[in-house]
Amino acid sequence: MATAALRQVWTEIGLDLIEQERALERQLQEFLEYKLMDAENTKSHYLEEISALDADVATFVSQLGDPFKHPERGDAAVETLMDQLARVRADHAALKKVVDDRTAALSVVVKELASIQSLMGETPYAAPVPLDLTPVNFDKLKEVVRVKKIEESNRRQAIRIVAKEYRVLIEQLKVFELNDFDRAITTDVDALGLSMNLIELISTRIAEATKLKTEREETKSALLKQIHALWDRLKISSNAQDDFLDSIKGIGADDVQATHDELARLQHLKRERIGELITDVRGQIVTLWQGLEIPESDFLPTMLAPLADATDDLLTAHEDELKRLDAQLTARKALIKYLEKREEIITERAQYEESLKDPERLIGRGARDSGRLLREEKLQAKIKHDLPKLTKLLVEKLPAWETDFNMPFVFQGERYLDTIERVDSDYAKQKEIERLEKERMKREKKAGSAVTLEDKPKPKPKPTSLTKRMSCPNQAGMLASAPSPVLHNAVSLGRESLTKCKLVGGPESNAY
């Protein structure tokens, strides 16, 4: 109908039939070309959408990993674009749902990780694009979160520990005026976060507080050392001392100040009683002089002079001398124990050697002392081994003591090195005298025995009864010769030989 109307118009215009056919053909060609172009555009849109969806599907498959795979394509020669688009859209929708679910789950993990990292002062985790939605990545991120939670817990615990340490120091130092940061450390440290910088800041605060604590303790200790010395010097009662120490148990500024005040009070009291104190120290010095066996002629005159002007310097000089003498007496006592042991052994040696003069000491007529022999053996060991060792030790150590203290080591009124030399010399002389006496007595005894044998009458020889065979060929000569009157052993041997010959050469032996 539209074609007929068009022809009517063209006829009215004056176009003949051929021209009308040409115009109609031209118009139809233009329309078809337009429609072709439109169809091509539609096809292109289909292909582009299919390609885009297919690319998304490939991305989804890559994100999801196994077991997801790219869907297989149909036969393009058989399957229309609309069918392809419908299939790809279905695949895309199915995979997108899985991707959205996993993305939501991954977002929870990433958000938790980023929150922990932000709390710990670290750069939050940024998920890569496209998201890795594979199970392996899920497990990896979950492991990172688990480790970070442990790290978070450990760091929180570490921060709480250093915060507690700082709080204890603040309490010990009795610091009450704090800024906001220090107050937060001591009251609510969790509100300050978990960054490493926080630990460093608190550690710096701890170092400063520890330094202040050390300074106060050292100051207080030095003051208390002086206070204790003054307490002893001034004979302050133990109850008063305990009360004061109980009142300054802390290391706050008020405790240190109270210690300063107590020292000042004692120093003032010392100045008031300085004469009495010097007199007391002098009494102790005299006692030590006596303990060191220093003769009165060697007492220091300055320590005995009248107190014309009692000063701190004079008291200090007396106290220094007291310390020196006390150290000297302590060193002396360390040697006295060896000295007394040596003297004890020397006394026991004298008693033992005196007891040796009694030959019946071990076999007396009365009850026998079964342990005496054992005691004598032990004493002999002490005399032989312990006494030389003690003597050597004292000879080595006493000169060093005398050099250190610039005075002789006196024991019972005599320099003990001289005592050792004198006693050992006297003992050696005594032993030499005893040895010579024994040799003299031995010679006299031997000479007396020889005279006695010569004065005895010689025995007459007995006649010998000879036999046919004698086991001792020289028997007759032996019997005829008299034994020597001097050598008692020779006589005994002759008698034994004679007896043997009689046994061998008698009538009983000639029976065969």
Side-chain angles (χ1 to χ4, degrees):
M1 186 173 182
T3 303
L6 181 61
R7 285 181 179 278
Q8 180 64 35
V9 173
W10 281 343
T11 300
E12 291 176 356
I13 292 173
L15 295 177
D16 57 17
L17 185 59
I18 295 174
E19 290 177 342
Q20 289 181 11
E21 288 295 332
R22 288 177 180 174
L24 183 61
E25 184 178 355
R26 187 173 58 253
Q27 291 291 332
L28 181 60
Q29 184 65 32
E30 290 177 357
F31 175 75
L32 291 175
E33 288 178 356
Y34 171 76
K35 285 297 182 181
L36 177 60
M37 184 178 63
D38 183 60
E40 289 291 343
N41 288 336
T42 301
K43 177 182 177 181
S44 178
H45 287 310
Y46 270 94
L47 291 174
E48 288 177 359
E49 185 176 357
I50 290 172
S51 178
L53 292 174
D54 198 42
D56 288 346
V57 168
T59 301
F60 293 160
V61 171
S62 175
Q63 286 180 287
L64 296 172
D66 291 335
F68 294 93
K69 295 182 179 179
H70 199 287
E72 296 181 359
R73 294 185 179 183
D75 188 356
V78 177
E79 192 177 28
T80 64
L81 291 177
M82 294 181 67
D83 293 337
Q84 292 181 31
L85 181 59
R87 177 179 55 77
V88 172
R89 281 178 176 174
D91 294 339
H92 182 277
L95 290 173
K96 189 174 186 304
K97 185 178 185 308
V98 178
V99 168
D100 290 343
D101 292 342
R102 288 198 179 182
T103 300
L106 182 64
S107 298
V108 173
V109 177
V110 171
K111 184 178 180 180
E112 184 178 11
L113 177 59
S115 175
I116 295 173
Q117 290 174 328
S118 177
L119 186 63
M120 297 176 67
E122 301 175 357
T123 303
Y125 172 78
V129 180
L131 294 175
D132 186 352
L133 302 175
T134 60
V136 173
N137 188 54
F138 259 88
D139 294 340
K140 180 180 177 181
L141 285 177
K142 287 179 180 178
E143 178 63 18
V144 172
V145 171
R146 187 188 69 82
V147 172
K148 279 296 177 184
K149 283 183 176 180
I150 295 174
E151 186 178 345
E152 175 194 11
S153 177
N154 292 339
R155 186 173 296 181
R156 188 182 301 278
Q157 185 67 19
I159 290 174
R160 287 176 178 175
I161 289 174
V162 293
K164 181 180 179 181
E165 183 179 355
Y166 182 63
R167 183 172 63 252
V168 170
L169 285 170
I170 291 299
E171 291 173 353
Q172 290 176 343
L173 295 170
K174 298 181 181 179
V175 178
F176 303 108
E177 296 181 2
L178 301 173
N179 57 33
D180 293 340
F181 179 70
D182 292 334
R183 189 175 296 104
I185 294 175
T186 57
T187 57
D188 187 16
V189 71
D190 291 343
L192 297 176
L194 300 173
S195 67
M196 286 297 297
N197 186 46
L198 177 61
I199 296 180
E200 293 175 359
L201 290 174
I202 299 176
S203 298
T204 301
R205 293 289 200 282
I206 290 174
E208 294 172 352
T210 302
K211 181 180 178 182
L212 178 59
K213 177 184 176 182
T214 302
E215 291 174 352
R216 287 186 179 180
E217 287 177 339
E218 290 176 351
T219 301
K220 186 178 174 182
S221 177
L223 294 172
L224 284 175
K225 184 177 181 180
Q226 299 178 59
I227 288 172
H228 278 290
L230 288 172
W231 279 344
D232 294 339
R233 187 182 295 169
L234 298 170
K235 295 182 172 57
I236 303 299
S237 67
S238 58
N239 290 335
Q241 295 180 26
D242 293 339
D243 291 342
F244 174 74
L245 293 176
D246 290 339
S247 67
I248 58 160
K249 286 185 176 180
I251 52 173
D254 56 339
D255 298 314
V256 177
Q257 185 59 46
T259 310
H260 277 289
D261 295 341
E262 175 66 8
L263 178 60
R265 185 185 72 83
L266 293 172
Q267 288 174 340
H268 177 72
L269 185 60
K270 182 192 74 171
R271 286 190 292 271
E272 291 180 346
R273 299 171 51 188
I274 193 166
E276 176 186 342
L277 295 174
I278 293 176
T279 302
D280 181 64
V281 174
R282 284 185 173 182
Q284 298 178 51
I285 289 175
V286 171
T287 301
L288 291 176
W289 281 341
Q290 294 171 349
L292 292 167
E293 297 191 28
I294 298 175
E296 293 186 6
S297 58
D298 293 340
F299 287 0
L300 293 177
T302 56
M303 297 297 168
L304 300 176
L307 292 175
D309 186 15
T311 62
D312 285 344
D313 292 340
L314 184 59
L315 177 60
T316 301
H318 280 71
E319 289 175 340
D320 291 343
E321 178 64 13
L322 180 64
K323 291 178 182 177
R324 188 187 70 81
L325 292 173
D326 185 64
Q328 185 174 344
L329 184 60
T330 301
R332 174 186 171 86
K333 289 179 179 178
L335 296 174
I336 284 291
K337 62 180 182 180
Y338 300 114
L339 184 151
E340 291 177 342
K341 183 65 177 176
R342 182 179 183 276
E343 291 295 316
E344 178 185 345
I345 295 176
I346 290 176
T347 302
E348 291 176 345
R349 180 182 67 181
Q351 295 173 352
Y352 168 66
E353 292 181 352
E354 182 65 25
S355 69
L356 292 178
K357 297 177 181 179
D358 180 12
E360 297 182 356
R361 68 187 188 283
L362 300 177
I363 53 173
R365 295 180 180 179
R368 183 177 180 182
D369 187 356
S370 58
R372 181 162 185 168
L373 180 60
L374 179 61
R375 289 197 302 272
E376 288 189 358
E377 290 176 351
K378 290 182 178 180
L379 180 57
Q380 290 173 4
K382 287 169 64 176
I383 295 171
K384 183 177 180 181
H385 300 290
D386 296 351
L387 183 58
K389 289 181 180 179
L390 290 169
T391 301
K392 180 181 178 182
L393 184 145
L394 289 169
V395 169
E396 291 175 352
K397 291 186 175 294
L398 289 179
W401 187 94
E402 293 181 344
T403 301
D404 291 341
F405 298 105
N406 194 26
M407 64 178 298
F409 189 100
V410 177
F411 181 73
Q412 295 181 354
E414 183 181 11
R415 180 172 180 256
Y416 197 71
L417 285 173
D418 297 339
T419 301
I420 292 175
E421 183 178 358
R422 175 179 57 78
V423 171
D424 288 353
S425 176
D426 292 347
Y427 182 75
K429 291 178 181 178
Q430 180 63 31
K431 299 306 290 184
E432 180 64 17
I433 292 172
E434 292 177 358
R435 185 185 67 79
L436 294 175
E437 180 65 17
K438 286 181 180 179
E439 290 182 356
R440 184 187 65 77
M441 293 178 65
K442 186 176 181 181
R443 287 195 301 271
E444 291 179 355
K445 184 177 181 181
K446 185 180 292 186
S449 299
V451 171
T452 302
L453 289 174
E454 289 177 356
D455 293 341
K456 286 184 178 181
K458 296 181 180 180
K460 295 180 179 180
K462 295 181 179 180
T464 305
S465 57
L466 298 176
T467 59
K468 294 181 180 179
R469 297 182 63 184
M470 297 182 66
S471 298
C472 295
N474 298 327
Q475 183 178 6
M478 291 174 62
L479 292 174
S481 62
S484 173
V486 178
L487 300 177
H488 178 70
N489 290 338
V491 173
S492 299
L493 290 173
R495 289 175 179 174
E496 291 177 3
S497 177
L498 178 61
T499 304
K500 290 179 181 179
C501 290
K502 285 182 178 181
L503 291 174
V504 175
E508 293 82 4
S509 63
N510 296 331
Y512 84 98

